Structure formats: C-alpha cells, structure tokens
Amino acid sequence: MSKIFPSNPVPTAAGIGLRSQHIGEMLSRRPSAGWLEVHAENYMGGSAAVDALERLRESYPLSVHGVGLSLGSSSGLDRDHLERMRKLCLRFQPSLVSEHLAWSAADGAYLNDLLPLRYDAEALAIVTANVSRLQDTLQRRVYIENLSAYVAFEGSTMTEAEFLVELVGLTGCGLLLDINNVHVSACNLGFDSKAFIDQLPPCAIGEIHLAGHAINEVEGDIVLIDDHGSRVPPAVWSLYAYAIRKIGPRPTLIEWDTDVPALDVLLGEAMWADMLAQSIAFEDRMLVERPTPQSTRFEGMILPLRADSRTGPMPALAAFATIKPSVFANRPGARRVGHAL
C-alpha cells in the first residue's frame, strides 16, 4: 500500500528540480535543499523512480510541475491524464502544483513541446475552463507558469501579462513566475521584462523558477533559447533581484534539464539564490532603520561581468554586478547584446 504523506509547506527558500541522474546521490546523501520539484508525468506510473520519490518525500517538501495537461487546448483536458495527476497529488501531497500557459495537444495528436497561445478573449475562455476544471479536480489552487516565446501572434488582443492577470481574476489560480522565461521572451519579442513583472499581482505569485538559456545568433540577430542547460546567467539573477525586491521572497527553483551537471552544481545555484534573497532582505531592513537615497544603493559595487558558463565567475557575484548596470550596457550600440548576457 502506498504511503500517504502529510502536506508540509514549501519554504520561502531555494529548491532544486529532481533529475534522474541525481536520485541515487540524493537518497544516499540527503543534502540540504529547501525543497524538491518533479515533473508530474515522470511519476504517474509505477517505477523505481516513484519508489525513490516516496523515500525522498520523507525528507523534503515537494512541488509537482505538470508539463502535459495542455491547458490551452480547445478540446479540454484529457480525462485520463487529469485522473493520473489527481492520484499523484493525493499520494505525495505536494505543497505546490503548477502547469504552463501553453498547449501541446490537438485533434488527438500530442506534441512534445509547450506551444504559445494567441492572447485573446477566445483563448482566455478556453484556458479559464481548463484551469477551473483542474483546480476543481485537485481541490487546490494551481500555479500557472508564463511561457518563453520566440514569436508572437498578430491576432493577440492582450499581452501575456494581461492574460495572466485576467486568468487569476477569473479562476483564483496562482502564478509561477519563471524569471528566465520573462527574460528570454523580452529579449526575443522586444518588451520590457521589468514592466511584465510589474503588471502581475504580487499576492498571486507563489513560486519562482530560475534557469539558464542558450544565446544564438541568427542572421545578425540574437535569439535566446530556453534550454535549461547552463548556470543561471547574470541578467536573470539581476531580474530575480528586481522581482523579489518588488514582491518579497518566494519559493525559488533552480531548473536544469539538459546537459545536467553534478548535483553539487545545482545545490550551489540554490545556495546563491538564498544568499541573494537574504542580502536583499538585509538591505531592506537596514533601509527601514536608516533610510538611504535610492540613487546611492550599491554605489561603487562594480564587479567583472561575464556570460554564464560552467567555469565562469561565481553566479552571486555576477548577480550583484548586474544590479548596477555597467557602462557597457548603457551604450546604445551594445544594448541588445548586453541584454542577452
């Protein structure tokens, strides 16, 4: 008989995505990590991985992240898939459950990708119905993640941020703010990443994702690819700092899905996320005790800034460096490349 776990909250700290390469080491070492997140579809059947997750669940709070429900499908949610999700959540009692603002199934065909929506009233009605059915089935609030995008629909009548705000109002769902996705989409589509975050209701944001991305040059243009295959780059750390300064600390996940590194690299990235959040909380406490003009914050804190790499500078140092824009980033001719770093 499967063990039923009590629901314990995911702390306002950094966790890591559980990857198959690390399961054995996680079981033997039980390293310090705020919490774990798993992709729902990897644990819906019976397997050694499910048994391992049952053992790890005894030590770590859990978030379940769906990638296959296709919330944007006009045909509605797949009944069997939804039932498997319900049983998974009933068994492991995750504190957080999330899915994507995307579609991946149509006319009986399933596409192994998360595809963007046209943001208009028709799509909003479809996603609203699907999110409501999901929440009714699971009997809990579900957090919807913003998508990384490479193209936009001409027929959209609202932005993705406006769409998410409407969705929260209609369904009561929460938001999973993927900082890397905001940065990738902002660079590819040419919008202001901070303005995107500013539009979202802070009280609805219950989880944050951080990840790396690839930088490609296509016929002279820079295109960012959301591949989750490297360290969190300085620009994403900087946007993360902006977000938590605005909304406060949130449970934050380090995602790494391709070219997965050693477990200690993921744990190190999580540690830097915690340090950055704690340093901002400390700064805020000091400002309350001794108000400081905004313009002098981080004055003089200029550190070398390089693109992300496995052998590059420690990510937290790079993050602090990006809090104060460099002279290079302010040069008109270098803005696009600087934005992509």
Side-chain angles (χ1 to χ4, degrees), residues 237 269 271-273 275-276 303 313-323:
W237 282 119
E269 294 281 277
M271 180 186 71
W272 291 119
M275 290 181 63
L276 184 56
L303 298 174
M314 299 302 283
L317 294 181
F320 283 120
T322 60
I323 289 173

Side-chain angles (χ1 to χ4, degrees), residues 2-284:
S2 299
K3 183 175 180 179
I4 302 298
F5 297 94
S7 179
N8 51 338
V10 165
T12 305
I16 61 171
L18 180 64
R19 300 295 172 256
S20 58
Q21 298 92 325
H22 300 146
I23 288 178
E25 192 174 355
M26 288 292 298
L27 286 169
S28 61
R29 287 176 50 191
R30 306 289 173 124
S32 177
W35 48 286
L36 302 179
E37 184 168 279
V38 297
H39 288 172
E41 285 72 13
N42 291 336
Y43 296 89
M44 287 180 168
S47 67
V50 175
D51 295 338
L53 181 60
E54 198 162 77
R55 294 165 61 190
L56 290 171
R57 179 64 179 83
E58 296 172 351
S59 303
Y60 300 96
L62 184 67
S63 171
V64 165
H65 189 46
V67 297
L69 272 173
S70 190
L71 295 177
S73 290
S74 59
S75 56
L77 303 182
D78 181 271
R79 183 180 60 185
D80 293 337
H81 194 128
L82 185 58
E83 177 61 13
R84 289 191 289 269
M85 176 73 95
R86 188 190 69 81
K87 289 181 177 177
L88 178 71
C89 293
L90 182 64
R91 178 177 184 179
F92 287 102
Q93 292 295 311
S95 299
L96 299 171
V97 177
S98 54
E99 250 289 356
H100 299 82
L101 183 63
W103 66 278
S104 55
D107 297 330
Y110 181 81
L111 305 170
N112 189 28
D113 208 342
L114 298 168
L115 300 172
L117 305 170
R118 186 181 65 240
Y119 300 122
D120 60 11
E122 181 181 3
L124 181 61
I126 291 169
V127 177
T128 295
N130 288 337
V131 169
S132 296
R133 184 182 176 196
L134 174 60
Q135 293 189 135
D136 289 346
T137 301
L138 301 184
Q139 290 292 294
R140 63 160 68 223
R141 191 182 203 190
V142 173
Y143 294 83
I144 306 302
E145 178 182 346
N146 57 291
L147 203 63
S148 57
Y150 310 95
V151 295
F153 289 93
E154 285 187 351
S156 291
T157 58
M158 60 186 91
T159 66
E160 183 184 26
E162 291 169 343
F163 191 97
L164 288 168
V165 171
E166 291 291 327
L167 186 63
V168 168
L170 291 168
T171 67
C173 71
L175 297 178
L176 192 172
L177 174 58
D178 191 310
I179 299 287
N180 182 57
N181 287 357
V182 175
H183 176 70
V184 167
S185 297
C187 288
N188 290 338
L189 303 184
F191 63 79
D192 185 337
S193 57
K194 292 180 180 177
F196 181 102
I197 294 172
D198 290 344
Q199 292 182 68
L200 303 179
C203 61
I205 300 173
E207 183 179 344
I208 289 176
H209 277 183
L210 297 174
H213 55 256
I215 303 173
N216 289 0
E217 183 174 343
V218 181
E219 298 180 351
D221 285 332
I222 297 296
V223 178
L224 304 190
I225 306 297
D226 179 31
D227 67 348
H228 295 184
S230 57
R231 289 188 186 277
V232 178
V236 175
W237 282 119
S238 181
L239 191 58
Y240 174 62
Y242 176 83
I244 59 175
R245 180 169 286 118
K246 181 177 180 63
I247 69 173
R250 293 291 191 277
T252 298
L253 181 83
I254 302 298
E255 289 187 299
W256 203 316
D257 295 314
T258 61
D259 200 14
V260 177
L263 175 60
D264 283 340
V265 174
L266 264 69
L267 295 170
E269 294 281 277
M271 180 186 71
W272 291 119
D274 280 336
M275 290 181 63
L276 184 56
Q278 290 169 13
S279 71
I280 290 173
F282 176 78
E283 176 202 346
D284 289 344

